[in-house]
């Protein structure tokens, strides 16, 4: 009888094999979820500095994309490709490749050879390019970030150090560049001489709302991942450091927030007439609000010297959320 019961249990288990839970059961030691306005929705130790590996290449690509006049330049591959380690496009000395194809190879295949060639083409030397990287980081507000190379490798120097918060700011900035979004969201890219490149960002294939991202890995940094997803008018960014199940974690965080919250726009980029004040904003500004509050609430603006406060209120006047906005200019005071 015991044998029959045991066989039945085994048969039952085979009929209903184990499937992965749809719930996040563990959390990264370093992560952040940020909305398109820069609000931190959740996270853990997101100001702790760590080696960030190849998500460095978001900064490398952004600097390269700023030089639009170089997009159609043809570059001859030099000897430096023979010294590059790690992920590569396997470019051969003496061959040629277009500048824009290098950027595709940088973001889709994480080519370290592409990163170094772009750095040389833009600045004349890797050292000069690294100076541009650190300068741009300061402009974006990445105050806890230090770049030492354009690749993210941490073999020959300390590598590049940043925090989940800073990397989220970098992705937020990157999403304002249409060419960056176009390239980083490309699943497959056919090259003239290197065949078809497939994007290493698996979330693009597994999650229909994913619009951008970059993977990274070194022995020192372990896995690093930054992605962005957009549903309706709501865009979210997720960054994880040293977490094995990162793609699943990102997807579940996006699903959780998209099903429960919406992004409510307060100020559009440009001139806004709000109550009795004309306000010029350098960017779109809004709040992440629970779905049950959307459409039945209202907001007011309280003007103060150098900044404004925006409030999301209930019908009864209860403050649900508030936000200080500094990136504005008051055109006509009340």
């Amino acid at each position: 009888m015991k044998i029959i019961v045991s066989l039945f249990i085994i048969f039952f288990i085979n009929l209903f094999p184990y499937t992965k839970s749809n719930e996040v059961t563990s959390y990264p030691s370093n992560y952040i979820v940020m909305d398109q306005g820069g609000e931190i929705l959740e996270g853990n130790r997101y100001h702790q500095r760590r080696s960030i590996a190849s998500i460095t290449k978001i900064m490398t690509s952004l600097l390269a994309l700023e030089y639009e006049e170089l997009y159609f330049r043809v570059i001859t591959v030099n000897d430096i490709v023979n010294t590059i380690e790690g992920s590569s496009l396997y470019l051969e000395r003496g061959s040629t490749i277009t500048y824009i194809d290098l950027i595709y190879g940088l973001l889709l295949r994480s080519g370290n050879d592409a990163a170094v060639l772009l750095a040389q083409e833009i600045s004349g030397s890797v050292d000069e390019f690294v100076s541009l990287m650190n300068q741009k980081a300061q402009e974006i507000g990445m105050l806890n970030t230090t770049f030492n190379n354009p690749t993210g490798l941490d073999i020959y120097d300390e590598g590049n150090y940043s925090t989940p918060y800073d990397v989220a700011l970098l992705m937020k900035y990157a999403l304002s560049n249409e060419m960056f979004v176009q390239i980083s969201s490309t699943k497959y890219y056919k090259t003239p001489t290197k065949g078809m490149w497939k994007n290493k960002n698996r979330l693009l294939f597994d999650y229909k709302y994913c619009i951008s991202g970059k993977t990274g890995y070194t022995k020192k940094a372990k896995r690093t991942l930054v992605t962005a997803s957009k549903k309706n008018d709501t865009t979210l960014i997720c960054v994880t450091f040293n977490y094995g199940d990162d793609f699943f974690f990102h997807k579940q965080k996006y699903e959780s927030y998209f099903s429960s919250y919406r992004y409510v726009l307060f100020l559009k980029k440009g001139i806004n007439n709000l109550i009795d004040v004309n306000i010029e904003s350098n960017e779109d500004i809004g709040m992440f609000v629970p779905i049950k509050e959307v459409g039945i609430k209202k907001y007011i603006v309280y003007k103060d010297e150098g900044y404004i406060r925006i409030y999301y209120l209930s019908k009864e006047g209860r403050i649900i959320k508030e936000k200080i906005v500094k990136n504005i200019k008051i055109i006509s005071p009340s």
Side-chain angles (χ1 to χ4, degrees), residues 53-71:
S54 285
I55 56 178
T56 292
K57 292 175 177 124
I58 296 175
M59 175 63 82
T60 305
S61 66
L62 284 171
L63 289 174
L65 288 169
E66 289 183 354
Y67 290 84
E68 295 183 19
E69 69 276 10
L70 301 179
Y71 281 10

Side-chain angles (χ1 to χ4, degrees), residues 104-171:
Y104 271 95
L106 183 75
L107 290 175
L108 271 65
R109 299 305 301 164
S110 203
N112 292 327
D113 45 1
V116 173
L117 287 171
L118 285 167
Q120 287 184 330
E121 191 68 21
I122 292 166
S123 301
S125 72
V126 170
D127 288 344
E128 287 297 320
F129 186 80
V130 169
S131 295
L132 288 180
M133 295 174 75
N134 286 306
Q135 180 180 331
K136 177 61 72 173
Q138 291 296 307
E139 292 175 5
I140 295 173
M142 302 171 68
L143 304 181
N144 288 312
T145 298
T146 304
F147 290 108
N148 287 300
N149 61 64
T151 64
L153 287 172
D154 45 27
I155 303 172
Y156 303 113
D157 54 41
E158 294 182 0
N160 301 323
Y161 277 80
S162 190
T163 69
Y165 176 78
D166 279 13
V167 172
L169 289 181
L170 176 61
M171 177 56 84

Side-chain angles (χ1 to χ4, degrees), residues 174-292:
L175 292 177
S176 65
N177 187 305
E178 293 182 5
M179 195 65 175
F180 172 85
V181 176
Q182 176 183 319
I183 295 175
S184 63
S185 64
T186 299
K187 295 179 179 179
Y188 297 96
Y189 184 71
K190 184 172 177 55
T191 69
T193 59
K194 290 296 180 179
M196 188 76 73
W197 286 336
K198 180 181 178 180
N199 200 316
K200 288 187 176 184
N201 177 15
R202 202 174 76 209
L203 206 64
L204 283 174
F205 301 87
D206 295 345
Y207 188 55
K208 64 180 180 180
Y209 299 114
C210 183
I211 59 170
S212 185
K214 184 70 189 74
T215 62
Y217 176 82
T218 66
K219 289 182 179 179
K220 181 178 180 181
K222 307 303 181 189
R223 291 175 66 91
T224 60
L225 179 66
V226 51
T227 62
S229 292
K230 182 177 182 179
K231 185 176 182 180
N232 300 322
D233 295 326
T234 303
T235 302
L236 298 177
I237 296 164
C238 186
V239 183
T240 48
F241 290 176
N242 189 19
Y243 187 67
D245 208 4
D246 44 14
F247 289 114
F248 177 75
F249 182 86
H250 284 223
K251 179 179 178 179
Q252 292 306 303
K253 284 300 166 188
Y254 291 138
E255 285 292 272
S256 175
Y257 280 104
F258 284 147
S259 65
S260 304
Y261 292 84
R262 288 289 182 272
Y263 191 77
V264 177
L265 185 66
F266 278 57
L267 300 174
K268 293 183 178 181
K269 184 177 180 179
I271 304 296
N272 300 261
N273 180 261
L274 218 55
I275 308 178
D276 54 357
V277 179
N278 287 329
I279 299 172
E280 182 179 10
S281 177
N282 293 330
E283 59 183 345
D284 290 344
I285 294 172
M287 281 186 188
F288 214 56
V289 179
I291 287 177
K292 63 181 181 180

